[in-house]
Amino acid sequence: MTRTEPAGFRPVLLLTGAYAALSVLTFVVIVVFRPHPAVVTDAVWVRATLVVASSLWTFAFARSAARGSRKGLLRLRIVSAVMLAAIAVIVFLPGLFPLWLRIEQAACGVLLLGVTLLVNGRPLRAR
């Protein structure tokens, strides 16, 4: 944690960093397995691209919020909640995505649940 980060943001940065890393790793796996249409469908490409972009934005918003930006915190609160809801739909909607992607999205959802709870909790809201 740097001197400019308010206390309490370290877990948020770790969770959003893990979310971004998992999303980028998943995208790399998709690129590697692109010749296998049963594993990598068009829907998988679209979803993975959106998740990578949103995960990087989420991490950027977390860094901004950790530096004391109110707008960064507001953006982080909104994006984490919206993406958590979108992931819940992906995980529980059968047939749209392969099982492996739904499992990966569940892992992303657990990370974002932690972020959402932390950034909406009393300690960080009070700052």
Side-chain angles (χ1 to χ4, degrees), residues 1-22 55-69 72-73 76 80 111-112 114-119 124:
M1 182 163 66
T2 66
R3 273 187 273 129
T4 59
E5 291 175 5
F9 268 96
R10 186 169 175 77
V12 173
L13 291 169
L14 290 172
L15 288 169
T16 56
Y19 171 49
L22 179 56
S55 71
L56 295 174
W57 283 336
T58 303
F59 184 67
F61 296 153
R63 290 198 36 109
S64 176
R67 288 190 300 269
S69 168
L73 181 58
L76 178 61
S80 63
L111 295 169
L112 280 178
V115 171
T116 302
L117 291 173
L118 287 171
V119 299
L124 288 184

Side-chain angles (χ1 to χ4, degrees), residues 86-99:
I87 286 171
V89 170
I90 298 300
V91 169
F92 294 112
L93 194 64
L96 186 58
F97 294 97
L99 179 61

Side-chain angles (χ1 to χ4, degrees), residues 70 73 119-127:
R70 289 183 185 189
L73 181 58
V119 299
N120 289 295
R122 185 171 285 163
L124 288 184
R125 278 188 309 158
R127 294 189 190 277

